[in-house]
Amino acid sequence: MLAATAALVLACAHSPAWAGNLAIVMDDVGYSLERAQRIIDLPGPVTLGLLPFAPDTLRIAHRAHAAGNEMILHQPMEPLPAPHVRPMQGTLTLSMAPDRFNALTEAAMTAIPGIVGANNHTGSRLTQHREPMQRFMAHLARRNLFFLDSRTIGSTVAFDVAEEQQEPALRRDVFLDHFPNERAIAAAFTRALGIAHRQGHAIVIGHPHEATIRFLQARLKDLPPTVRLVKLSELVSLQRPATLARLESPEYPRRSLVR
């Protein structure tokens, strides 16, 4: 029965009605109430990735909740050393003692009421290491939250660890504004639509740049008829039956959560 349900969901995911599922996540939210409000006011569902300890995060969370927007924790994680990247408050690091890691993770998850999942802010170093990712996924599992791997580095193991621990997880497909100018953003958005039609869905991550907000204000009013803008959690729900079917398979090695 479970396998049949999974097959049905996968078939629907590739039918014309589902061919253009598009989820947009706006990360790095928490430093500007004005820009956050403009994101909240965008047409259609947009998921907000909120930094846990930014000055405006709590007020933004209340506004987003009142407007019906979905929110996830945008958890700072240790990056690889780079001149332009500085760890911010609450960053989880590889050298952190387990008790400190756990306490900081719990503090971040309780800082934002109403979150449904989490993704990583930076993390090009931490997400390459299995043990801290196992610990982080265990916290998500206890709170029934899903994980989105932002894929800030190609060698991330975060998504694989989540699957091993039977933690609902997704992966970012396109960074919308790696180059925050209108031409580059438009090209990235077109690429995302192509991915959505090929694989049934696409997950786009953007940031509260002025150019990004202006682009989405205009573009989301004029999506192709085959594209459906969805909340990130809807993609988790669509994938869950297929994931459960695979996990019930005797070939799939079960692993216990790392506490």
Side-chain angles (χ1 to χ4, degrees):
M1 181 67 179
L2 191 56
T5 302
L8 177 62
V9 170
L10 288 176
C12 290
H14 292 282
S15 70
W18 296 101
N21 278 340
L22 179 70
I24 298 176
V25 182
M26 291 293 279
D27 276 349
D28 292 359
V29 176
Y31 282 99
S32 171
L33 193 61
E34 183 269 335
R35 290 201 180 188
Q37 186 62 55
R38 290 167 66 194
I39 293 169
I40 291 169
D41 291 340
L42 288 170
V46 174
T47 299
L48 277 68
L50 288 160
L51 292 161
F53 306 118
D56 291 329
T57 287
L58 192 56
R59 286 189 293 169
I60 293 168
H62 288 312
R63 289 193 182 190
H65 178 74
N69 283 77
E70 187 170 76
M71 298 173 290
I72 61 174
L73 165 66
H74 191 40
Q75 175 62 55
M77 296 186 184
E78 184 176 7
L80 291 171
H84 63 286
V85 177
R86 292 186 299 174
M88 64 172 53
Q89 182 183 357
T91 297
L92 302 175
T93 68
L94 192 60
S95 61
M96 199 170 273
D99 287 350
R100 174 63 176 158
F101 186 105
N102 292 335
L104 199 53
T105 301
E106 284 298 310
M109 290 182 177
T110 57
I112 310 170
I115 57 172
V116 296
N119 72 337
N120 55 293
H121 169 72
T122 64
S124 53
R125 183 179 187 192
L126 194 74
T127 59
Q128 294 188 78
H129 295 268
R130 304 185 69 82
E131 194 274 338
M133 289 298 97
Q134 289 169 341
R135 193 180 300 126
F136 188 74
M137 299 308 164
H139 284 276
L140 292 178
R142 284 195 287 269
R143 292 174 176 270
N144 196 30
L145 304 174
F146 65 81
F147 181 70
L148 168 65
D149 189 349
S150 300
R151 296 175 62 204
T152 55
I153 193 166
S155 51
T156 173
V157 299
F159 179 83
D160 293 337
V161 168
E163 283 208 317
E164 290 168 6
Q165 297 190 185
Q166 304 178 23
E167 167 65 19
L170 299 164
R171 287 182 283 202
R172 184 269 308 165
D173 292 299
V174 174
F175 276 127
L176 185 60
D177 46 14
H178 184 71
F179 300 102
N181 63 74
E182 185 177 354
R183 184 174 180 178
I185 291 170
F189 194 79
T190 298
R191 187 165 70 255
L193 295 181
I195 293 170
H197 284 97
R198 286 195 303 274
Q199 71 178 16
H201 74 272
I203 297 172
V204 174
I205 290 181
H207 303 84
H209 302 303
E210 181 64 29
T212 306
I213 295 173
R214 286 202 311 267
F215 176 84
L216 292 175
Q217 285 172 333
R219 192 68 178 85
L220 294 185
K221 296 176 183 177
D222 189 31
L223 289 174
T226 54
V227 171
R228 190 171 74 106
L229 194 61
V230 299
K231 293 181 178 180
L232 192 61
S233 60
E234 288 190 52
L235 297 185
V236 176
S237 298
L238 284 172
Q239 291 193 5
R240 189 186 297 267
T243 301
L244 288 174
R246 186 180 66 253
L247 295 177
E248 290 299 324
S249 168
E251 289 80 21
Y252 189 88
R254 290 188 173 272
R255 294 170 172 83
S256 63
L257 292 177
V258 175
R259 300 290 179 179

